[in-house]
Amino acid sequence: MKFYIEGQKTLKGELYISGAKNSALAIMPATILLEKPVILKNIPDVEDIRTMSELLKILGVKVKKINKNTLEIDPRDINKYQAPYELVSKMRASIYVLGPLLVRFKKAIVYMPGGCSFGPRPIDFHIEGLKKLGANIKIEHGNIVAIVDEFKSAHIQLPFKSVGATIHLIMTSALLKDKKITISNCALEPEVVDLAHFLNKAGAKIYGVGYDEVIIEGVNKLEIDEYEIIPDRIEAGTYLVAGSFKNNKILLRNVIVEHLEPVIDKLLSIGVKLKIYKNEILVEGIEKPRSIEIQTQPFPGFPTDMQAQFMTLLSIADGVSIIKENIYPNRFAHAYELMRMSADIKIVENVAIVKGVNELTSAIVNATDLRASASLVLAGLIANGNTIIENIEHIDRGYEDIEIKFNKLGAKIERII
Ligand code: EPZ
């Protein structure tokens, strides 16, 4: 699947931000722990959610799509504890079912998640944490085989503020009756906090989420009727970058401003005009963005998932920008595609030196991962000429109706086979 994008289109108008993919991908597997069905609202209609729904159904969980953005999940008939290769290899977040299956069945088998275009994506922090909780884990024929006799209280010290390990270990601990689990050096991302809110509303006792140390007192029952997922700060950030190009003016509705602080901070340094309301942000583009320095960090630092999109904006800035990627070893595949579009970028280990050019020129480029694809769509929208992006399956994983939203703003993006 490809996108055909006409260049140099002015974007004006307003759009609604969808639910947070990475929050939904945490909360959906956590429903395995519930005593009864739950209605999840504001779920983004994207490929990764369909994959997670598929995985839950294979385990015997009933997943019903009530409407485009609402799911009813009923875990009562769950009857399998094995997550197969074909789904786990498609989506890394599948690993989150490991802990909850272990809690339900005292046994779980999940295929090893693969790497991706920006690194090996290990899961050692997840495995070590589950072992601390009492699990025996070994790798057999590509599968993670986990069994447990008796869970135990533990103090888990995460070596890094891993979003996935924090999410996985919090959800696994929530239903460990009479156990007390402390997790130090937790990730503080809003999606972690959203999961904990969901679980606490269901009766969990999770304290301190959103801070470095989280304490979980396991309970013996979790149930909740319905829950609304937070808006997607990375989708919002992507459209804020789109609105930053000259002559563009976009009103984003349904955002949580404090989730976007590090992105807003950098856009203001670049010189972009922003009007910030309670749940909305109006962004107005500027003639020439200022060059800046960016370092990706765990929340509340600048999000690695916004690095590629900012690289496109900075590729036509005035001067030289420096982007240091501290989360992943080589998350710069998009840089080589932008260079095909006349961007002037040098990569030195985990640093990208982006020398602003006058304009990008259209090309045939290749999407390598979700956020890289977004940066190429942004590049296609401003380039001189018409751009073709190949392999846009990546983008469908995490952006709901992206060409529909952009075309409503005045873009001309066509999906071609
Ligand atoms: C989550 O991935 C997100 N995915 C990623 O978003 C995001 O880039 C990342 O957090 C960082 O914010 C989901 O939420 C589904 P990490 P995750 O564990 O949990 C290393 C997107 O675009 N690490 O915080 O996998 C890891 O290799 C995706 O939506 C270990 O070494 O990220 C990385 O270098 C892309 N061992 C760093 O830690 C582990 O056991 C941060 O990873 C786990 C992670």
Side-chain angles (χ1 to χ4, degrees):
M1 190 69 85
K2 300 176 182 149
F3 270 160
Y4 178 81
I5 304 180
E6 282 187 31
Q8 294 174 329
K9 291 280 174 229
T10 300
L11 303 179
K12 288 198 192 314
E14 63 179 61
L15 82 146
Y16 272 84
I17 295 303
S18 303
K21 164 181 85 81
N22 292 347
S23 182
L25 290 178
I27 288 172
M28 286 172 74
T31 61
I32 289 173
L33 302 166
L34 300 180
E35 291 290 302
K36 62 179 206 178
V38 62
I39 302 275
L40 296 181
K41 297 178 168 177
N42 201 31
I43 299 281
D45 185 16
V46 296
E47 195 51 33
D48 273 4
I49 298 303
R50 289 186 278 277
T51 304
M52 184 58 83
S53 302
E54 228 15 75
L55 173 57
L56 291 175
K57 285 177 189 166
I58 283 182
L59 299 171
V61 175
K62 290 195 187 64
V63 181
K64 208 159 79 186
K65 203 168 163 89
I66 309 284
N67 62 43
K68 182 176 172 67
N69 300 113
T70 308
L71 295 177
E72 180 185 56
I73 300 185
D74 181 354
R76 288 175 297 187
D77 297 335
I78 187 167
N79 55 15
K80 285 198 188 61
Y81 53 71
Q82 175 146 11
Y85 166 78
E86 46 284 333
L87 286 168
V88 177
S89 54
K90 239 173 107 177
M91 184 184 63
R92 178 184 157 69
S94 311
I95 185 70
Y96 290 152
V97 301
L98 178 62
L101 289 174
L102 208 45
V103 171
R104 274 266 171 258
F105 297 106
K106 299 268 194 278
K107 177 162 186 173
I109 302 175
V110 174
Y111 207 81
M112 278 292 271
C116 68
S117 71
F118 48 87
R121 309 296 297 274
I123 53 161
D124 50 326
F125 305 159
H126 300 239
I127 301 297
E128 291 316 308
L130 291 172
K131 284 180 179 170
K132 280 270 176 70
L133 295 176
N136 294 302
I137 297 182
K138 52 184 190 302
I139 310 296
E140 272 172 9
H141 311 297
N143 280 308
I144 304 163
V145 180
I147 51 172
V148 65
D149 295 327
E150 189 63 34
F151 281 106
K152 50 191 190 194
S153 295
H155 178 190
I156 300 167
Q157 173 73 38
L158 288 176
F160 182 83
K161 285 186 170 311
S162 157
V163 171
T166 305
I167 283 173
H168 194 180
L169 295 167
I170 285 178
M171 76 168 81
T172 305
S173 304
L175 204 53
L176 301 186
K177 186 173 172 331
D178 301 332
K179 302 289 181 271
K180 182 181 172 189
I181 294 95
T182 304
I183 308 173
S184 302
N185 199 23
C186 286
L188 317 179
E189 270 71 3
E191 295 76 28
V192 176
V193 176
D194 203 24
L195 168 75
H197 281 170
F198 166 76
L199 290 169
N200 279 343
K201 264 192 81 175
K205 290 184 178 154
I206 302 165
Y207 308 105
V209 73
Y211 296 92
D212 287 336
E213 187 154 282
V214 171
I215 293 174
I216 302 111
E217 289 173 5
V219 295
N220 62 351
K221 194 163 86 151
L222 292 170
E223 54 184 28
I224 175 173
D225 293 330
E226 64 175 51
Y227 189 78
E228 180 163 334
I229 307 281
I230 56 171
D232 194 314
R233 61 192 168 99
I234 306 299
E235 185 198 22
T238 304
Y239 286 102
L240 285 176
V241 171
S244 302
F245 295 106
K246 72 172 183 251
N247 305 328
N248 291 352
K249 186 171 181 178
I250 304 175
L251 176 67
L252 276 67
R253 294 188 184 284
N254 190 35
V255 298
I256 296 179
V257 174
E258 56 268 20
H259 293 173
L260 282 156
E261 242 132 54
V263 169
I264 289 168
D265 188 42
K266 289 299 178 190
L267 287 173
L268 293 173
S269 317
I270 286 171
V272 176
K273 284 170 269 173
L274 297 175
K275 281 208 184 86
I276 296 175
Y277 306 95
K278 188 171 177 318
N279 293 320
E280 299 173 343
I281 301 178
L282 177 68
V283 53
E284 282 191 74
I286 40 157
E287 190 62 32
K288 198 76 180 149
R290 283 196 290 267
S291 51
I292 60 166
E293 294 214 1
I294 288 178
Q295 290 233 27
T296 66
Q297 294 296 353
F299 196 87
F302 184 86
T304 175
D305 289 351
M306 282 301 304
Q307 180 255 105
Q309 299 90 315
F310 268 72
M311 189 181 283
T312 299
L313 179 55
L314 295 171
S315 70
I316 47 118
D318 182 14
V320 179
S321 300
I322 305 288
I323 301 178
K324 195 160 182 280
E325 174 54 66
N326 295 309
I327 306 295
Y328 291 104
N330 58 351
R331 193 177 191 172
F332 287 134
H334 45 282
Y336 301 100
E337 300 303 312
L338 290 171
M339 291 177 208
R340 289 171 144 171
M341 300 177 76
S342 314
D344 180 348
I345 304 168
K346 278 182 191 48
I347 304 291
V348 181
E349 290 174 7
N350 65 334
V351 176
I353 302 155
V354 185
K355 189 166 177 297
V357 294
N358 245 347
E359 69 172 7
L360 295 183
T361 57
S362 60
I364 299 174
V365 290
N366 180 38
T368 52
D369 61 85
L370 172 58
R371 307 303 173 184
S373 325
S375 74
L376 298 178
V377 171
L378 294 171
L381 290 167
I382 60 167
N384 181 347
N386 301 330
T387 295
I388 289 184
I389 305 179
E390 307 207 319
N391 301 316
I392 53 150
E393 291 74 12
H394 291 288
I395 209 149
D396 290 332
R397 291 189 52 173
Y399 285 93
E400 181 177 287
D401 300 337
I402 187 165
E403 78 269 33
I404 297 169
K405 291 188 179 183
F406 270 125
N407 289 342
K408 261 196 199 141
L409 296 169
K412 276 184 82 61
I413 302 177
E414 206 187 323
R415 194 177 279 261
I416 51 178
I417 309 287

